[in-house]
Amino acid sequence: MELLQIPEDRGYPTEYLLARIRGRHAYLLRDWDNIVFSQNPFECLRTTRCGELIAKYSQEGVWKRQQIEFQWVYYQMNKGLRDIFMPFFICSEIKTLIICFRYKIRRGNTAEVEKILPFSLLSGKIKEALKKDVDLPSVLEEFEEKFSFHADRLLRLKEIFLKNGLKGVEQTLTGEFLEHTISTGLHPVLKSFFISIIDFKNTITIYKYLRWNIKAEPLFIHGGSIRKSSLKKIIQTRKISEVAHLIFRLTGQRVEEPGKLNVENILLRGLTRQIKIMGRVSPDIGPILDYLWRCSLEAQNLSIILYGREVERDVLKEELVYW
């Protein structure tokens, strides 16, 4: 059972896709202040490429817009490019799976699942399995073998769900996928990207652990630029100020009181700058990754704005990732 669709190779050269992407860059939203401070963000977005889907699906339309754009890029790629970017698209579709799993917790709730899947890159067999009128433990049991990224062990997703809920399933799937992916022969640009993603997630784990004084031992993902032993030493200090050193190491930004800041936002901005640099260093693969990343940030920003319409505008603005 393949995780993603495998389209016919149209043989388009990489230069063709790069030219198309340069044209589509113009449609990415940039004037975030205008949207944030508008009296009616929905009306403000009406004439954008997201407008039609937002009008039809409300806030959920922004994620469908991202799915459509990812699908378009994926189908324009030749086989060589798809092989390089396959881990990126799988990582994105893990989020789709988790959303579907959330609906599957209530057996029989297939209508909501079907609304999510039309623009997804998940394979037909995966989609059919998700649409079955069965509960989530049964779905996880069926998917067990496919989600085992390591041949020598099963993930035991059903047992994890029964013990730790959907959050445990998400952590396990994401962690296992990233650890497996970083150990494969990735293109240098994608390898740098996934190392940064692992660093990002491990730093957030430390921050939450220290910020909220969590007692359970944190689960770190192997394969980042910071060793697990170093991360564990930070945990032992119980000092949230240590997070500032991690942020500086990963982003070059100095922060005084990480406990009072949106650490996730700071890390996302730093990662966005790194990806922009990748686009300059690798003129073929870098710009494609940069475009896909900005599409995902656009969807995230729009979701924050549309779901947070009642939040004070200045506060909402601080939640956005600008570029």
Side-chain angles (χ1 to χ4, degrees), residues 147-210:
F147 288 153
S148 295
F149 299 108
H150 300 277
D152 59 340
R153 70 173 186 267
L154 296 176
L155 298 187
R156 305 193 181 282
L157 295 176
K158 178 180 177 180
E159 289 85 347
I160 289 171
F161 171 71
L162 295 175
K163 182 179 180 181
N164 299 317
L166 189 56
K167 187 65 177 177
V169 172
E170 182 176 6
Q171 289 177 337
T172 300
L173 267 182
T174 303
E176 290 284 337
F177 166 75
L178 289 173
E179 289 189 356
H180 167 74
T181 297
I182 206 66
S183 68
T184 60
L186 291 169
H187 184 281
V189 169
L190 273 295
K191 185 164 187 176
S192 295
F193 171 75
F194 279 110
I195 287 174
S196 296
I197 290 292
I198 293 172
D199 288 336
F200 169 91
K201 290 185 176 296
N202 285 339
T203 302
I204 291 297
T205 295
I206 286 181
Y207 172 73
K208 290 180 177 179
Y209 182 87
L210 298 176

Side-chain angles (χ1 to χ4, degrees), residues 15-238:
E15 292 74 15
Y16 162 83
L17 178 57
L18 288 170
R20 298 291 303 274
I21 282 177
R22 281 194 291 270
R24 296 171 91 89
H25 250 289
Y27 296 99
L28 286 170
L29 297 172
R30 289 176 175 82
D31 190 1
W32 293 108
D33 285 356
N34 183 48
I35 303 171
V36 169
F37 291 102
S38 66
Q39 292 185 343
N40 187 342
F42 285 96
E43 180 63 24
C44 185
L45 294 167
R46 185 174 60 84
T47 58
T48 69
R49 68 176 181 177
C50 307
E52 184 177 344
L53 287 169
I54 290 175
K56 185 175 182 179
Y57 297 104
S58 191
Q59 293 95 324
E60 292 302 315
V62 302
W63 297 109
K64 292 186 183 299
R65 178 64 256 177
Q66 177 193 294
Q67 284 185 315
I68 288 173
E69 200 60 19
F70 279 14
Q71 188 180 70
W72 178 85
V73 174
Y74 185 74
Y75 272 78
Q76 299 300 308
M77 288 178 166
N78 55 49
K79 184 180 183 303
L81 282 178
R82 273 202 310 274
D83 289 345
I84 290 172
F85 279 94
M86 187 71 72
F88 179 94
F89 290 111
I90 291 176
C91 190
S92 175
E93 290 297 339
I94 286 177
K95 299 175 185 177
T96 305
L97 285 171
I98 296 302
I99 294 171
C100 291
F101 290 166
R102 188 171 294 120
Y103 287 119
K104 296 298 292 185
I105 290 176
R106 299 190 299 275
R107 179 175 177 176
N109 194 2
T110 58
E112 293 298 330
V113 171
E114 290 181 0
K115 290 179 183 178
I116 296 168
L117 295 176
F119 306 118
S120 167
L121 287 171
L122 290 171
S123 70
K125 289 184 177 180
I126 292 284
K127 290 180 179 180
E128 289 304 314
L130 289 169
K131 292 176 184 178
K132 289 181 181 178
D133 185 14
V134 295
D135 59 14
L136 181 54
S138 300
V139 172
L140 294 177
E141 212 167 29
E142 181 175 350
F143 284 9
E144 179 64 56
E145 183 177 350
K146 186 57 188 177
F147 288 153
S148 295
F149 299 108
H150 300 277
D152 59 340
R153 70 173 186 267
L154 296 176
L155 298 187
R156 305 193 181 282
L157 295 176
K158 178 180 177 180
E159 289 85 347
I160 289 171
F161 171 71
L162 295 175
K163 182 179 180 181
N164 299 317
L166 189 56
K167 187 65 177 177
V169 172
E170 182 176 6
Q171 289 177 337
T172 300
L173 267 182
T174 303
E176 290 284 337
F177 166 75
L178 289 173
E179 289 189 356
H180 167 74
T181 297
I182 206 66
S183 68
T184 60
L186 291 169
H187 184 281
V189 169
L190 273 295
K191 185 164 187 176
S192 295
F193 171 75
F194 279 110
I195 287 174
S196 296
I197 290 292
I198 293 172
D199 288 336
F200 169 91
K201 290 185 176 296
N202 285 339
T203 302
I204 291 297
T205 295
I206 286 181
Y207 172 73
K208 290 180 177 179
Y209 182 87
L210 298 176
R211 179 74 174 83
W212 306 113
N213 197 28
I214 297 173
K215 303 301 181 185
E217 185 176 352
L219 297 176
F220 294 119
I221 302 171
H222 178 73
S225 67
I226 306 170
R227 294 183 177 181
K228 280 188 178 182
S229 58
S230 299
L231 297 172
K232 290 179 179 179
K233 286 180 181 178
I234 295 174
I235 289 295
Q236 292 169 0
T237 68
R238 309 294 300 188

